[in-house]
Amino acid sequence: MTWSIDPGSARSIISSARAETSSLDEAASAVADRFAEAARAAQHAPRTVGALTNLAADPFLVAIASVRRRIVAVTDTADAVIDVYVAGDLEMAAQTQAAMPGDGS
């Protein structure tokens, strides 16, 4: 069995995943904005404002932030692994080339 990674393709996928995190940021921002608007609309109803504040801290928004952090961590790790793979591949090629007999010059 042979293994082969195309670093360019792999990095393209990583880049796409990272770009998608912006949609998570936009979703979290939109939800936070809606909570703020609702709280302003209910400014004369302190219990409602309190409930909205609690809801804004809901695990949903925390989960969005957690997913974003996880995507960043995974893509950073994958990128580092590709760097190690490329370095190992170059080292192996150099060792192989050094072990080969000269070209006769």
Side-chain angles (χ1 to χ4, degrees):
M1 173 182 275
T2 60
W3 293 84
S4 180
I5 296 173
D6 177 354
S9 293
R11 286 197 167 111
S12 175
I13 292 166
I14 290 168
S15 180
S16 294
R18 285 179 179 155
E20 289 298 320
T21 63
S22 68
S23 66
L24 291 173
D25 294 339
E26 292 166 9
S29 179
V31 169
D33 288 348
R34 298 304 81 79
F35 279 123
E37 288 172 9
R40 280 192 302 276
Q43 64 183 333
H44 300 294
R47 291 179 70 192
T48 301
V49 171
L52 286 167
T53 301
N54 289 338
L55 192 57
D58 183 78
F60 175 72
L61 290 177
V62 173
I64 289 175
S66 177
V67 167
R68 186 189 189 294
R69 283 190 305 274
R70 183 76 174 144
I71 290 169
V72 169
V74 167
T75 56
D76 286 351
T77 300
D79 207 22
V81 167
I82 292 168
D83 289 342
V84 170
Y85 174 84
V86 169
D89 203 35
L90 292 172
E91 181 181 335
M92 185 173 54
Q95 289 176 0
T96 300
Q97 190 171 13
M100 294 178 68
D103 63 1
S105 351

